[in-house]
Amino acid sequence: MATSAIGPGFITQTATFTAQMGAAFAFGILASVLIDFVVQLNIWRIVAVTRMRASDVANAAIPGAGYFLAALVIFGGLIFNIGNIAGSGLGLNALLGLDPKIGGALSALVAIGIFSSKRAGVAVDRIIVVLGILMIALTLFVAFTSSPPVGEALRQTVWPDQINFATITTIVGGTVGGYITYAGAHRLLDKGTVGVENLGPVTRAALSGIAVTGVMRFVLFLAVLGVVTSGVTLDLSGRAANPAAQAFQAAAGEFGLRLFGLIFWAAAITSVIGAAYTSVTFFNTFNPKITERGRAWSTVVFIAVSLLIYVFIGTAPAALLIFVGGFNGLILPIGLTIFIYAAWARPDLMPGYRHPLWLTVLGVLTCALTWWMGYKSIGPIFAFLNM
C-alpha cells in the first residue's frame, strides 16, 4: 500500500502544492494523515474479519453496491494509471531528456514486459527497494541542504494561514483513494492474514503504511519548501513541467536531477503495474469465473488502454498526476460510506467481532467530512486539468 501511494502522483502533488501554498500546506498534510488513518483502519479491519473482498462486502451489505464499488475502483484505477504513465514519461524526461509522451509510451511497454516475466518482476522488486532507500536519502539531503523554515512549517501545521480543501482531497485520494487502500487490504486477504485472531497484525500494517507515507510526504514537503523559500520559482504549468525534479535539481545539481529522474521513473513503473493488477482483481465481481490467465491478459490490456488514452490526451503530465489524486479523492467517500454502513448494519458478516464504537464514530465523521470536502472541491479539482 505504501509503495503504491508513494508514486509519481504523490511526489508531484506534494511539490506542486508546496510551491503554491508554502508552509500552509503543512496543515493539509496533517489533516490528510488523520483522515487516512480512519479510512484505512475501518476498511482493512472489516475486510479482515469478513474474509471477503471489498466488492463482496459491499454486495452483502447493500445488494448491488459491490458492482457499483467495483466499477468506481476500476475507473478510478484507469484514471490513476494514465497519470502513472504520464509520471514515467516525466521520469525519463528528467533522466534522459526524452519527450514525456515518448518516455511514457516506452515505459508502458517496459511495464508490460516486466509484468509478463516473473524473473524480471523479482529483479525489479529488489531494485525498487534500493531505489526507495536512495529516494529517502536524496530527499533528506535536499531537506537539510535547502534549509527549510521548520519552525514556520510546524506553526502552520496546526495554525495555517490558509486552508485549501481541494489539496486535502487530492492528497487523501492519492494515498488511500481508489484502488490503493483495497490493494493493501486484499494483499493481507490473499496472505491469509484474516479473522479476529489477526486483527493485531492488520491494525499494525494499516497504521504503519499510513505512517510511512505521512513521514515521507512531510520530509518531501520540507525539501521543496526550502527550495521555494530560497527564491527558486518552479514551473507548474509547462508541457514538460516537473516541479519536484526542478526542486531536486536546484538543491542537488545535475546529478540530483538525473538520480531523481531514475527514482521517479522506477516509482512510476511499479505504480503502473500495481494499479493495473489491483484494478483487474475487481473484474471478478462481474465475472467470478475469470482465470489467472484471463486476469494476466486483462492487466496487459488495461495498461495498453491507459497508454492509448495518455498518448492522445492533450493534458500536461504534471496536471494529470494532480488530477488523478483529486478524482480518486472525490470517489473515496462512496466506498467508505458503504463500509461504515456494513460495520453498523451487518454485524452478521463479522462473526465473533464487534467493530469498535470509537472507530465507527470516527468513520461517520470522516464520511461527512470527505463528502463535504468533495462537494467543495469538484470545481477546483477538475480545474487542475487546465494547469
Side-chain angles (χ1 to χ4, degrees):
M1 169 263 149
T3 54
S4 294
I6 305 175
F10 176 99
I11 296 169
T12 302
Q13 292 156 18
T14 303
T16 300
F17 295 145
T18 302
Q20 290 177 338
M21 299 180 64
F25 182 51
F27 174 81
I29 295 174
L30 175 62
S32 71
V33 169
L34 296 177
I35 293 171
D36 294 344
F37 273 130
V38 175
V39 172
Q40 189 135 299
L41 273 177
N42 272 288
I43 291 177
W44 283 30
R45 288 172 68 96
I46 293 170
V47 167
V49 295
T50 58
R51 302 171 186 261
M52 294 190 290
R53 293 186 175 273
S55 54
D56 296 329
V57 173
N59 269 334
I62 306 172
Y67 300 111
F68 182 51
L69 178 63
L72 284 177
V73 172
I74 292 169
F75 185 66
L78 178 66
I79 300 296
F80 237 124
N81 229 26
I82 297 168
N84 289 333
I85 292 174
S88 67
L90 286 181
L92 286 184
N93 176 260
L95 177 62
L96 303 172
L98 280 180
D99 179 275
K101 289 286 186 182
I102 296 174
L106 291 174
S107 299
L109 295 177
V110 170
I112 291 173
I114 292 172
F115 175 76
S116 302
S117 169
K118 290 184 179 180
R119 183 174 297 178
V122 171
V124 168
D125 284 343
R126 292 172 180 169
I127 293 170
I128 287 300
V129 173
V130 176
L131 291 176
I133 294 171
L134 283 176
M135 180 65 183
I136 294 170
L138 182 61
T139 305
L140 286 171
F141 172 77
V142 173
F144 278 112
T145 58
S146 64
S147 301
V150 177
E152 179 66 8
L154 291 175
R155 180 188 72 80
Q156 298 220 43
T157 300
V158 294
W159 196 262
D161 290 342
Q162 60 173 309
I163 299 175
N164 188 316
F165 292 112
T167 65
I168 298 174
T169 300
T170 298
I171 60 177
V172 167
T175 308
V176 295
Y179 77 96
I180 297 176
T181 286
Y182 304 114
H186 288 180
R187 177 62 177 156
L188 291 174
L189 193 64
D190 292 340
K191 289 178 63 178
T193 309
V194 293
V196 177
E197 66 276 13
N198 282 306
L199 277 179
V202 169
T203 300
R204 286 192 295 272
L207 293 176
S208 62
I210 296 302
V212 167
T213 57
V215 170
M216 188 61 194
R217 192 185 295 276
F218 198 77
V219 173
L220 179 59
F221 155 72
L222 288 177
V224 178
L225 180 64
V227 171
V228 297
T229 54
S230 71
V232 175
T233 300
L234 304 182
D235 177 16
L236 304 179
S237 58
R239 294 298 307 168
N242 192 343
Q246 295 166 46
F248 278 75
Q249 182 179 23
E254 194 70 16
F255 175 76
L257 172 66
R258 303 305 176 190
L259 180 57
F260 173 83
L262 174 63
I263 295 168
F264 194 83
W265 177 78
I269 282 289
T270 55
S271 295
V272 168
I273 297 169
Y277 181 79
T278 306
S279 299
V280 165
T281 62
F282 280 83
F283 285 12
N284 285 79
T285 305
F286 303 100
N287 180 12
K289 295 182 180 179
I290 189 170
T291 63
E292 190 64 36
R293 181 178 175 82
R295 278 193 293 271
W297 277 108
S298 297
T299 302
V300 170
V301 171
F302 195 91
I303 296 174
V305 170
S306 304
L307 171 60
L308 284 174
I309 296 173
Y310 168 65
V311 168
F312 290 106
I313 200 169
T315 307
L320 272 175
L321 287 168
I322 297 170
F323 170 74
V324 296
F327 181 84
N328 279 278
L330 292 176
I331 66 177
L332 169 68
I334 299 172
L336 181 59
T337 300
I338 293 171
F339 270 81
I340 295 301
Y341 174 80
W344 171 70
R346 294 297 308 272
D348 57 301
L349 298 176
M350 301 171 281
Y353 171 76
R354 184 176 181 83
H355 202 55
L357 178 60
W358 65 270
L359 198 50
T360 301
V361 171
L362 287 177
V364 170
L365 294 175
T366 301
C367 271
L369 177 61
T370 51
W371 276 109
W372 184 79
M373 288 198 310
Y375 168 74
K376 299 289 286 185
S377 304
I378 292 176
I381 285 172
F382 277 88
F384 289 149
L385 289 170
N386 299 317
M387 288 182 63

